[in-house]
Amino acid sequence: MTPTDPQLDAAPRADLQPLAGWGVQPRVDCAVYRPSGAAAIRELIEHAGAQRTLISRGLGRSYGDPATNAQGVVLHTAMDRFLAFDDTTGVVTAEAGVSFADLIEALLPRGWFPAVTPGTKFVTLGGAVAADVHGKNHHRDGSFNTCVLSFDLLTPTGEHLTCSRDENTDVFWATLGGMGLTGFILAVTLQMLKVMSARIDVQTARVGSLDAMLEHFAKTDDDHRYSVSWIDCLARGAKLGRGVVMQGTHAPGNGESDLRPARRRAKTVPFHFPKQALNALSVKAFNTTYYAKHGSGRHTEGFGPFFYPLDAVHHWNRVYGRRGFVQYQPVFPEQDGAAGVRAVIEKLSAAKRSSFLAVLKRMGGQPVGPLGFPMAGLTLAVDMPRGPGLRDFLHELDAIVLDHGGRVYLAKDAEMTADTFAAMYPRLNEFQQIRRRLDPAGVMASTQARRLGIVGAP
Ligand SMILES: Cc1cc2nc3c(=O)[nH]c(=O)nc-3n(C[C@H](O)[C@H](O)[C@H](O)COP(=O)(O)OP(=O)(O)OC[C@H]3O[C@@H](n4cnc5c(N)ncnc54)[C@H](O)[C@@H]3O)c2cc1C
């Protein structure tokens, strides 16, 4: 199109803005639209034409590039109204831009908490459906799909579909984990969890090796709704995989005063740190201190520190500086899980690829969509600062993950190749068939979808 093209004059206005995921890089100049509802999105679709593709964006908490697209990004954060709530059943319907923070603020005082939540509350319902996020209770309750009763999807042809386990079932499952590529989620209906208190009873245990950690999980996981462990990724030899297991259950309570969340003022990282601030030595010091500080014992704490410890520091991603970082999260199937986790940790430890945050959890065996991530087994999540050789290093890790029958989480992926992705997600064809039906003109695309060959060419 040329600037004199009348079609361009009629097109909805976009702001040009550099956008990245939570990992700070890669940064892409995107045309950003802020529609207030379905009619405005339909207008965007009409003007998409052959030149322009679109992708949805929530709060940009996916780490890599699934919510960026040079050709057009549709921000859903203005669509943030609650549409219905039943106090007796805990069923809520809200627009896709409503965040977990909004849900908790509105519904926890009435005794309802998200039944599945990721490790930050600054995530929208649309983003949670698109990634089919999981929480610390996956071993017991499965991923987000288990509490999604239905959602409304505006397809790339402008059709409005209600999707559930009984209605438009294949679109329901393709959208859960489909990273925004089946259309625009407008609203979501969720089953919340009844709780009596805003606090969590927590049991911690320090364990000295990976084998001891897995044994501890096997013995105790079923006794707790939530279970997760922090791992010291730099420990080697007999101490490889040592860490601290944190398990929790909603505390009992008596009503209103127990449901009031404790107010904590969040701190913020005001600027990007220089790159010397984070190096293998500072990470080693952090890991050693953290391990020594967290002993075994019981305590009660607010839901915030338990579920969302990193939310206490806004923009904590700036600690990694402008070069950014990746979070690498593979899952390994049960039978080969321990060997896969060990192989990844050994490689990280040998390469001194530092990570403040390494988290290990068990996953259960609930159903997922064709691009769904979880499988019964073990999942590890590790932060790594970007720097020379990181891409090749990640590809070496990918090979280990594939070798052990695992796959990498798309909400964290930033560097996977299309071949690796196709090998890790064998139901890709099924997803692409549904997509071709919903999006014959190829309206939806993201930087990630092009890189992974889910749509078009890179
Ligand atoms: C500190 C931290 C902790 C985290 N912990 C976990 C965890 O424990 N478990 C876990 O599973 N994830 C975790 N995540 C990842 C996060 O939950 C997911 O990346 C989630 O998708 C982010 O939601 P968002 O609203 O920010 O979406 P964005 O990052 O903006 O977008 C993510 C995807 O959702 C799509 N999307 C967004 N809105 C819509 C919509 N309305 N319609 C269609 N598609 C849409 C986008 O196209 C994109 O593909 C964590 C992230 C951070 C930063």
Side-chain angles (χ1 to χ4, degrees):
M1 281 199 262
T2 65
T4 51
D5 189 327
Q7 228 194 317
L8 190 70
D9 292 339
R13 276 178 54 98
D15 292 331
L16 260 185
Q17 206 177 302
L19 284 183
W22 191 245
V24 180
Q25 296 290 345
R27 246 178 148 63
V28 184
D29 280 329
C30 299
V32 179
Y33 302 91
R34 292 179 171 76
S36 53
I41 300 179
R42 271 205 189 88
E43 213 185 319
L44 283 171
I45 297 173
E46 271 166 32
H47 283 89
Q51 328 281 327
R52 197 187 304 156
T53 58
L54 299 170
I55 196 70
S56 295
R57 183 174 172 101
L59 282 163
R61 253 49 178 199
S62 47
Y63 281 74
D65 47 6
T68 69
N69 175 18
Q71 297 170 46
V73 169
V74 175
L75 257 179
H76 286 266
T77 45
M79 297 167 63
D80 61 353
R81 289 172 308 165
F82 282 83
L83 304 176
F85 176 61
D86 183 336
D87 224 339
T88 54
T89 60
V91 173
V92 60
T93 302
E95 287 184 332
V98 164
S99 70
F100 281 59
D102 301 331
L103 270 187
I104 292 169
E105 188 176 333
L107 303 185
L108 181 58
R110 296 163 174 237
W112 298 98
F113 193 76
V116 170
T117 174
T120 169
K121 62 182 183 300
F122 302 122
V123 165
T124 62
L125 291 179
V129 169
D132 192 11
V133 297
H134 54 271
K136 295 176 170 55
N137 51 343
H138 193 276
H139 64 290
R140 236 174 100 142
D141 302 322
S143 52
F144 195 56
N145 76 66
T146 54
C147 59
V148 175
L149 301 178
S150 66
F151 53 78
D152 284 5
L153 185 77
L154 186 69
T155 72
T157 55
E159 203 182 344
H160 187 140
L161 296 182
T162 299
C163 305
S164 70
R165 282 174 177 71
D166 312 313
E167 209 177 343
N168 297 304
T169 313
D170 59 344
V171 184
F172 178 79
W173 286 110
T175 302
L176 280 151
M179 302 311 284
L181 296 167
T182 57
F184 305 88
I185 300 158
L186 300 174
V188 184
T189 298
L190 279 186
Q191 175 65 63
M192 302 284 285
L193 177 75
K194 183 77 190 153
V195 295
M196 302 305 287
S197 159
R199 297 177 70 75
I200 308 291
D201 285 335
V202 185
Q203 170 89 54
T204 58
R206 189 156 25 141
V207 278
S209 68
L210 184 61
D211 286 340
M213 176 81 69
L214 298 180
E215 206 178 308
H216 190 85
F217 278 157
K219 273 198 198 137
T220 60
D221 256 5
D222 290 344
D223 302 336
H224 306 270
R225 180 179 284 272
Y226 304 105
S227 177
V228 66
S229 74
W230 163 85
I231 295 237
D232 177 358
C233 264
L234 297 183
R236 306 174 80 156
K239 292 181 186 161
L240 185 119
R242 72 174 183 175
V244 180
V245 183
M246 286 159 266
Q247 292 164 313
T249 307
H250 293 278
N254 287 321
E256 241 178 76
S257 60
D258 290 321
L259 289 166
R260 217 172 297 132
R263 292 270 165 217
R264 285 197 306 166
R265 268 196 45 200
K267 297 188 172 48
T268 196
V269 176
F271 52 82
H272 289 279
F273 275 33
K275 68 175 182 229
Q276 310 81 282
L278 240 196
N279 57 39
L281 267 183
S282 58
V283 173
K284 192 168 173 45
F286 171 86
N287 280 343
T288 308
T289 315
Y290 191 93
Y291 183 73
K293 191 176 152 208
H294 288 80
S296 302
R298 273 174 181 280
H299 66 277
T300 299
E301 66 186 15
F303 73 89
F306 183 75
F307 289 108
Y308 313 117
L310 292 164
D311 287 352
V313 184
H314 288 315
H315 302 299
W316 62 264
N317 54 345
R318 292 177 179 167
V319 164
Y320 290 91
R322 286 188 196 287
R323 66 190 167 150
F325 69 111
V326 295
Q327 185 168 102
Y328 189 73
Q329 183 171 2
V331 60
F332 295 95
E334 206 117 60
Q335 64 277 22
D336 212 10
V341 169
R342 188 182 302 281
V344 168
I345 299 179
E346 270 168 0
K347 194 157 179 69
L348 286 166
S349 170
K352 297 206 171 50
R353 291 274 175 188
S354 31
S355 178
F356 280 116
L357 190 84
V359 168
L360 181 72
K361 18 186 197 201
R362 265 183 59 222
M363 293 192 132
Q366 290 82 358
V368 290
L371 294 192
F373 165 70
M375 63 168 93
L378 290 172
T379 184
L380 181 74
V382 193
D383 279 359
M384 278 174 263
R386 281 192 178 271
L390 183 73
R391 178 173 300 162
D392 291 343
F393 182 73
L394 291 174
H395 291 168
E396 288 168 27
L397 289 181
D398 286 346
I400 295 177
V401 173
L402 254 180
D403 233 29
H404 289 85
R407 56 183 174 237
V408 167
Y409 189 18
L410 292 183
K412 312 277 177 88
D413 153 66
E415 294 291 352
M416 217 182 339
T417 65
D419 287 346
T420 302
F421 168 67
M424 285 181 181
Y425 286 81
R427 293 173 66 195
L428 173 60
N429 269 344
E430 180 187 336
F431 179 78
Q432 282 174 322
Q433 273 176 24
I434 297 169
R435 233 188 74 78
R436 272 194 287 275
R437 196 181 81 223
L438 292 171
D439 188 10
V443 171
M444 310 301 300
S446 63
T447 315
Q448 178 185 52
R450 280 190 286 272
R451 173 170 51 80
L452 296 180
I454 307 176
V455 303

